[in-house]
Amino acid sequence: MAEFLQQVVEGLGAGAIYAGLALALVLIYRFTGVVNFAQGELAMFSTYIAWQFMAGGMAFWLALPLTLAVSFVGGMLIERVIIRPVEGAPELTVVIVTVGLFIFVNAAAGWIWSFLIKDFPSPFPAGSAQAGALTVSYSTLGNLAVVAVVMGALYLLFQHTKIGLGMRGVAADPRSARLVGIRVGWMLALGWGLAALVGAVSGVLVAPLLFLEPNMMGGVLLYAFAAATLGGFDSPVGAVVGGLIVGVAETLAGAYVGFIGSDLKVGVPLAIILAALLLRPQGLFGRAAVRQ
Amino acid sequence: MSERSERGPARPSLVAPVADEGDHVSEPSDGRAGLPGQAAEASAGARGWRGALVARWRGIAVVALLAVAIYAPFELVPFRVFQFTMVLVYAVALIGLNLLVGHAGQISLGHGAFFAVGAYTTAIMFDRWDVPYPLTLPAAAALAFVLGWAFGLPAVRLHGLYLALVTLAIAIFLVPLLKRFESVTGGSMGLTLAKPAPPAWTGLAPDQWLYFLALAVTVVAVLLARNLLRSRVGRAMRAVRDNEAAAEVMGVRLAFYKTLAFAWSAMFAGAAGCVYTWVIGFVSPDSFAVTLSITLLAGLVVGGLGSPAGPLLGGLFVMFVPSLSQDVNEAAPGVVFGLLIIAVMYVAPTGLAGLAGRAARTIGRTLRRE
């Protein structure tokens, strides 16, 4: 039993990271109706920026806010420059553009920083806390705490600020939002900026576990997609819950299903996506879309 | 959600303005829509005449292209022949992808997986049972078709985005799966096989023989796709792409045709994978990583979605752009691909094929004016 609980805790730690990226995906989907296939790569790029700052001798806790600021501005720029021209275009067009962005960002990172793996320091101390028979590493606790903080900050932003109200207005009905004087374009850009910021957080959390390299986020993106699909693509709470479930499911499947082992774990998100789409296409917390 | 409903239930398709094969004849001449009655009638008459001319020139162009394709391997060094053989292999896969993305309006980020299925089917048939190589082609195509059908079934419920997700997940999952069943697939080491040897009566070198095999498969694939698109199935697919609701009202069974589009498309990819194994003589899981799927989609988009020439141009692109830009930097192909995809979506959604068509029309118009 202790062994089982231990696995669950490990899973939650991994799930926190997936939840972070899933949250970024959901933010963009909610505000712009775009699923950003480049989200993972943007997070990877942000992580490289953080690495660059630290390579220049900066302390982690100074590099982090700088990176987040750069990511936020970068995300807004991408929305304004790259996504704006195809806004309102068919899904196919938008998906292809974000796939183009995916390829470009991935290769650009390889060009700038090479494809060699780099060490990335963990922001959390190395030890672990003991709770009865359970050993919880500080990095697992840290990941969970960070995701909780991000979630809380987003909640405050959306529910208790004027900007958040504007963004919710845009998500609900862009035309009416424009009529009451909300600058829809800026709100959409803001959504992308926020998503890039949240993605950067998840990238910084992933990097110490997986090593920093341009293809670092490829697998994580798939788990995040599974998390967002399971939780519902338009629900931030769903993204976090979905992320935790995916993390736990993946860890348990790897540990207890002999056939899956560690190499076929990547089949778990595929199974979760398929199951979610077949049984509850709108996700656990999502609203069902009505088709006219 | 309501935001998207504002954009309207009838989503205009990206590829709708692209003239599909066979539609070129009736393509409206641009800028004349607003002319008064008589002039419009005159232009309609001219259109028929011009259509016949266009059709004839197209026929001549295709025959010339085929003649060049048949003559080329006797002039080129073996390495170039090999490169053009690979262009044909990619073109066959892209014909399939074009059916799905360009004509049926669904997206797949996992066509490399069906390519891999075809390649591995062929490799295993060689390796295990010494099956004569011509027999591996129908087997590979059939298996890919069946798998395409199976994975197309959930596609019925998914549209756009979710299909992209599921296919991406399949492409990512395939590599560890191939590595796992080591006894059959050879694991990470892959399988090394003998390439089909040219029959003595042809007097061809091995590379030339492989080239002609690939050319034959390509020609058959082109004809098959052409006939498919002109058939009831093709019309149904396009109707589904352009407006699902309208298509359904007109009696098109959405679920059936979407699944069928996926299966056909997978079949072409499987056939391409089979020829790939013939040509390379080696398969390993890492040759079919998710990059392959994304590269295929990129090639098709740049080549031209929904256009008959798109797959061939895309094949040239997929083969030569990486090998040319690789000299600059390891990452250069990705940078070029990424930028080109985005640029194409903005300025020329019909890709290189559309640009070529546009250029030809502009030249034709200029000539007629003089």
Side-chain angles (χ1 to χ4, degrees):
Chain A
M1 192 59 201
E3 159 77 17
F4 177 79
L5 282 179
Q6 187 68 43
Q7 295 287 353
V8 170
V9 169
E10 307 268 320
L12 288 176
I17 291 169
Y18 307 149
L21 195 60
L23 207 49
L25 287 171
V26 164
L27 276 179
I28 287 185
Y29 185 78
R30 244 190 113 146
F31 290 117
T32 59
V34 172
V35 165
N36 184 8
F37 278 82
Q39 196 74 63
E41 302 312 294
L42 294 180
M44 174 273 296
F45 204 87
S46 298
T47 315
Y48 266 110
I49 293 174
W51 179 86
Q52 194 67 55
F53 280 138
M54 282 189 280
M58 220 178 261
F60 180 88
W61 294 108
L62 185 60
L64 183 66
L66 270 177
T67 305
L68 295 186
V70 172
S71 307
F72 181 71
V73 174
M76 286 181 71
L77 270 179
I78 288 174
E79 201 280 336
R80 294 251 111 180
V81 177
I82 296 179
I83 303 301
R84 177 61 47 90
V86 292
E87 227 160 54
E91 225 159 32
L92 188 63
T93 311
V94 184
V95 168
I96 290 175
V97 167
T98 64
V99 168
L101 191 62
F102 173 102
I103 301 174
F104 172 72
V105 174
N106 181 289
W111 195 319
I112 301 173
W113 289 290
S114 93
F115 287 94
L116 300 174
I117 59 168
K118 292 180 166 54
D119 257 329
F120 194 90
S122 172
F124 309 110
S128 50
Q130 284 285 343
L134 225 55
T135 317
V136 188
S137 70
Y138 288 126
S139 76
T140 300
L141 286 177
N143 288 348
L144 286 167
V146 169
V147 170
V149 168
V150 170
M151 190 72 211
L154 287 177
Y155 175 80
L156 289 179
L157 176 71
F158 287 134
Q159 301 297 331
H160 295 283
T161 68
K162 206 168 171 188
I163 290 180
L165 184 63
M167 293 182 76
R168 279 189 290 142
V170 170
D173 189 342
R175 207 182 311 172
S176 314
R178 199 185 299 276
L179 286 175
V180 298
I182 297 170
R183 298 185 61 184
V184 173
W186 276 106
M187 291 299 155
L188 296 181
L190 212 57
W192 270 76
L194 276 180
L197 189 154
V198 174
V201 171
S202 79
V204 169
L205 294 181
V206 172
L209 305 176
L210 295 183
F211 294 109
L212 185 56
E213 53 124 355
N215 297 321
M216 168 180 87
M217 295 304 270
V220 180
L221 181 71
L222 186 58
Y223 287 105
F225 273 141
T229 311
L230 180 64
F233 250 102
D234 58 351
S235 158
V237 179
V240 173
V241 175
L244 296 178
I245 295 177
V246 169
V248 172
E250 176 222 4
T251 314
L252 290 184
Y256 291 107
V257 185
F259 171 74
I260 291 176
S262 61
D263 53 337
L264 290 188
K265 272 201 297 197
V266 73
V268 172
L270 174 61
I272 288 178
I273 291 177
L274 282 178
L277 290 175
L278 291 175
L279 300 175
R280 196 174 158 83
Q282 72 271 36
L284 296 176
F285 294 86
R287 276 170 301 167
V290 181
R291 278 171 69 194
Q292 291 105 332
Chain B
M1 278 296 151
S2 52
E3 178 202 355
R4 270 168 303 290
S5 66
E6 185 215 29
R7 280 172 198 151
R11 293 169 303 160
S13 168
L14 153 76
V15 276
V18 187
D20 287 309
E21 194 168 0
D23 292 356
H24 275 290
V25 181
S26 58
E27 199 178 343
S29 45
D30 33 320
R32 297 191 189 179
L35 290 178
Q38 196 163 11
E41 251 168 56
S43 97
R47 207 182 295 156
W49 166 80
R50 212 178 94 199
L53 197 71
V54 167
R56 187 187 308 159
W57 277 107
R58 268 176 116 216
I60 294 173
V62 168
V63 170
L65 188 66
L66 198 60
V68 171
I70 290 173
Y71 183 62
F74 298 107
E75 288 295 320
L76 296 170
V77 294
F79 178 64
R80 292 273 170 234
V81 175
F82 164 75
Q83 283 186 319
F84 279 104
T85 312
M86 288 309 291
V87 168
L88 294 173
V89 170
Y90 290 130
V92 172
L94 291 183
I95 288 171
L97 197 57
N98 196 23
L99 275 181
L100 187 73
V101 185
H103 295 282
Q106 302 181 60
I107 194 163
S108 166
L109 292 175
H111 250 53
F114 296 110
F115 191 89
V117 165
Y120 263 95
T121 310
T122 306
I124 291 166
M125 285 172 84
F126 275 157
D127 189 55
R128 292 255 146 165
W129 303 302
D130 287 321
V131 177
Y133 69 89
L135 293 181
T136 58
L137 183 63
L143 187 63
F145 183 90
V146 171
L147 284 177
W149 187 275
F151 281 107
L153 281 179
V156 172
R157 308 190 58 165
L158 324 175
H159 55 112
L161 148 86
Y162 289 114
L163 190 59
L165 277 185
V166 170
T167 49
L168 180 73
I170 291 171
I172 293 179
F173 183 50
L174 186 76
V175 174
L177 201 63
L178 285 173
K179 286 183 180 167
R180 169 59 78 86
F181 294 99
E182 205 170 342
S183 56
V184 187
T185 62
S188 318
M189 300 296 293
L191 296 169
T192 309
L193 314 140
K195 299 178 189 179
W201 56 266
T202 57
L204 291 170
D207 58 300
Q208 291 169 335
W209 175 243
L210 290 171
Y211 174 86
F212 281 113
L213 285 178
L215 185 63
V217 173
T218 311
V219 169
V220 171
V222 167
L223 292 177
L224 200 61
R226 196 177 95 122
N227 291 343
L228 193 69
L229 286 172
R230 287 183 174 180
S231 73
R232 184 188 167 82
V233 177
R235 283 194 302 275
M237 277 181 193
R238 282 197 295 270
V240 172
R241 174 193 75 190
D242 291 340
N243 190 332
E244 281 194 11
E248 199 168 16
V249 169
M250 281 161 69
V252 175
R253 280 180 296 154
L254 291 185
F256 177 74
Y257 282 106
K258 278 181 166 180
T259 315
L260 194 64
F262 207 79
W264 275 108
S265 159
M267 189 200 77
F268 281 98
C274 167
V275 181
Y276 171 92
T277 304
W278 291 353
V279 174
I280 307 273
F282 173 70
V283 287
S284 87
D286 292 316
S287 324
F288 308 110
V290 69
T291 334
L292 174 66
S293 303
I294 291 179
T295 309
L296 286 177
L297 183 68
L300 181 65
V301 169
V302 176
L305 276 175
S307 101
L312 196 59
L313 291 168
L316 286 167
F317 185 82
V318 170
M319 181 65 225
F320 288 108
V321 168
S323 60
L324 289 179
S325 53
Q326 204 121 42
D327 300 338
V328 183
N329 184 297
E330 193 190 351
V335 171
V336 173
F337 266 37
L339 284 180
L340 266 179
I341 293 177
I342 298 175
V344 161
M345 282 334 248
Y346 291 164
V347 297
T350 47
L352 292 177
L355 281 182
R358 225 188 283 172
R361 276 195 290 281
T362 312
I363 292 168
R365 219 174 296 144
T366 322
L367 286 180
R368 241 176 299 124
R369 214 170 283 152
E370 282 174 3

